[in-house]
Amino acid sequence: MARPKKYVIHLTEDEFKELKSIIRKKNLSRTIRCRCQIILDLDEAHGKVLTHDQSAKSNGVCLATVSNTITKYMNGGVRAVTEFKRNINSDNARRKVDGRIEARLIELACGPVPEGHSRWTIRLLEEEARVFLETPISREAIRRTLKKTNFDLTKMNTGVSPQRKIRNS
């Protein structure tokens, strides 16, 4: 025999309408859309109820996501299901390089190369960043920033993109 359900979901009409309207929004993240759909799938007050396995398969998530979403709904209601709670220790909270520093790094990399060097390197940018920026940044942070903005130090000085070199030869 199957284990009895720990949580039984009975949505009110207002909650049902709210979840349906949230799902219809175009600029909604997939995570929130899946959470709302899971709650709607398991609602016993409206329509056919799916099992946890069926809901997980139809939404393309694992069983742990289904059970976590149900627990989240039972503890906090619709509001808890439809919002992200960012941890204060998350990557975005600990970022050292914000938009202002990114702009300064790209400005440095696009500027003239120091004398005695043919092009910018990550180490040269790190040394220059120490002078121009008030907060020190590591080489790895500079590398990630340049990679994120698709900025390639080698393309800046040749004047010809690598694709053009291949096509011409």
Side-chain angles (χ1 to χ4, degrees):
M1 273 179 60
R3 217 169 50 186
K5 292 182 181 178
K6 185 174 179 183
Y7 296 116
V8 179
I9 298 175
H10 290 285
L11 293 175
T12 64
E13 280 298 318
D14 292 337
E15 290 175 328
F16 183 78
K17 287 178 183 175
E18 184 179 355
L19 288 173
K20 282 289 197 183
S21 68
I22 289 171
I23 287 177
R24 280 190 231 112
K25 291 181 182 174
K26 289 185 180 179
N27 60 349
L28 185 67
S29 72
R30 181 179 184 274
T31 304
I32 302 240
R33 182 173 279 122
C34 283
R35 286 180 188 173
C36 293
Q37 190 59 53
I38 289 168
I39 298 298
L40 289 172
D41 289 344
L42 302 175
D43 175 31
E44 295 190 357
H46 301 89
K48 183 181 176 217
V49 179
L50 299 179
T51 64
H52 289 202
D53 290 327
Q54 291 170 335
S55 179
K57 190 174 270 188
S58 69
N59 290 305
V61 295
C62 63
L63 278 173
T65 303
V66 174
S67 59
N68 289 340
T69 302
I70 293 167
T71 306
K72 201 177 285 255
Y73 171 74
M74 294 311 258
N75 293 334
V78 174
R79 182 69 40 216
V81 171
T82 59
E83 68 184 16
F84 282 119
K85 276 190 148 180
R86 297 290 301 187
N87 188 339
I88 58 169
N89 296 324
S90 70
D91 290 340
N92 284 341
R94 291 183 288 136
R95 279 183 61 188
K96 280 191 170 186
V97 179
D98 59 355
R100 186 183 59 80
I101 294 176
E102 275 181 20
R104 292 287 295 157
L105 280 174
I106 292 172
E107 182 183 339
L108 274 173
C110 289
V113 180
E115 284 190 32
H117 298 280
S118 60
R119 64 181 179 91
W120 282 105
T121 62
I122 301 292
R123 290 181 193 265
L124 279 174
L125 283 172
E126 180 188 24
E127 291 171 12
E128 287 293 318
R130 278 193 205 133
V131 174
F132 288 107
L133 302 173
E134 58 273 359
T135 57
I137 326 173
S138 67
R139 279 192 306 272
E140 182 61 16
I142 292 171
R143 184 198 65 79
R144 267 184 278 142
T145 301
L146 296 177
K147 182 175 181 177
K148 185 179 87 172
T149 57
N150 289 330
F151 188 87
D152 189 4
L153 291 171
T154 59
K155 289 181 187 176
M156 287 303 295
N157 296 319
T158 61
V160 179
S161 67
Q163 289 88 10
R164 187 167 289 194
K165 284 181 183 177
I166 293 169
R167 289 184 190 148
N168 291 340
S169 54

